[in-house]
Amino acid sequence: MDLEYSSEFIDSYLDAEYAERLASRTEFDEVLDERRRTSESFFHSTPGFPMFSVIGRRPGYSAEELAEYAQTVGQIARRVLFIVAEFEHPEWGHLFAGYVSGASITTTGVYDSKLFVKEIKGRPKIIAQYASEILKPAPPVQWIHVMGENIADVSGPLAVKALCEPTFKAHRLDWAATCTSAG
C-alpha cells in the first residue's frame, strides 16, 4: 500500500458511506441494508474492537415517511478527504490515516474523523476511527478513539498526501502543520 492507493481506498469508502446516508433518507429497508453491507465491507472488525456503520433509522419506514424524510437530503453532503498520512507504528507497523470532514453541508470544511487504514490479508481495511475533540482548542487537533482498534502513540507522519484544505481556521493550521511535518 502507498499514499495513492490509500487515498483511493478511503475515497471509495466515502462514496459508499454517502450512498448509505442517502439511502437512509430515500430508500426502503432492503436497499438501505445493501448500502450498509457495502460500506461496512471496508471495515476490519475483531471481537474486542468492532467497526460498524452508525448511519441508520428505525426499520419499516412507509412510503409516506420516506417521502417526508427525503426532504432532508439537502442537509447531507459527501464527506471530504483532506489529507492522507503514512505512519510507522511500533505495534501495527505500516498505517495510513485519512483525515475527513463531517457529513452535513455545514461541516464539510472541518475535521470530523480520522480513519486508520491497514493492509489485512492483502487488502486495505479501516481498522480504527477517531473523532476530533471539539471541546479542546486546536491546533493541534485532539483526537478521541471512537471504534475499532485503539491506535495509540502514533509518531509524526513519514509522508503526506494533501488533497483539500479545511476551511475552519484551527483545522487549516493543523492541516498545514501535518503537511510540513512529514519525513
Side-chain angles (χ1 to χ4, degrees):
M1 267 180 40
D2 61 11
L3 283 170
E4 186 64 33
Y5 188 64
S6 298
S7 299
E8 291 170 7
F9 173 77
I10 295 167
D11 260 334
S12 293
Y13 165 69
L14 295 177
D15 288 341
E17 179 195 60
Y18 182 61
E20 180 187 357
R21 198 172 302 280
L22 286 175
S24 75
R25 294 170 188 246
T26 61
E27 301 290 346
F28 289 105
D29 293 346
E30 297 78 20
V31 174
L32 175 57
D33 291 344
E34 178 58 33
R35 299 291 187 273
R36 180 174 298 112
R37 281 190 294 276
T38 299
S39 68
E40 287 182 341
S41 72
F42 288 81
F43 296 147
H44 176 72
S45 278
T46 59
F49 302 97
M51 296 283 301
F52 49 87
S53 172
V54 295
I55 300 166
R57 62 162 198 252
R58 69 167 168 75
Y61 265 43
S62 68
E64 295 79 26
E65 288 172 314
L66 275 176
E68 184 177 338
Y69 198 27
Q71 294 176 22
T72 66
V73 164
Q75 299 170 5
I76 65 171
R78 184 192 178 279
R79 296 202 295 166
V80 174
L81 178 57
F82 296 116
I83 192 169
V84 177
E86 177 181 2
F87 297 96
E88 188 66 35
H89 187 273
E91 179 184 347
W92 287 98
H94 207 62
L95 293 172
F96 294 87
Y99 297 65
V100 300
S101 75
S104 74
I105 58 171
T106 59
T107 61
T108 58
V110 301
Y111 283 163
D112 176 74
S113 300
K114 183 164 40 170
L115 305 172
F116 280 96
V117 176
K118 170 88 176 140
E119 192 169 307
I120 306 285
K121 297 181 181 176
R123 298 182 62 201
K125 291 289 184 174
I126 298 170
I127 64 167
Q129 179 180 347
Y130 282 71
S132 63
E133 172 56 80
I134 60 173
L135 298 178
K136 294 187 179 173
V141 172
Q142 305 294 308
W143 297 97
I144 306 166
H145 179 251
V146 175
M147 70 174 127
E149 301 291 341
N150 194 349
I151 310 295
D153 302 324
V154 175
S155 60
L158 302 173
V160 170
K161 180 176 181 177
L163 299 159
C164 179
E165 193 174 2
T167 57
F168 182 60
K169 182 180 179 183
H171 293 178
R172 192 171 57 245
L173 294 171
D174 186 86
W175 180 89
T178 303
C179 288
T180 59
S181 68

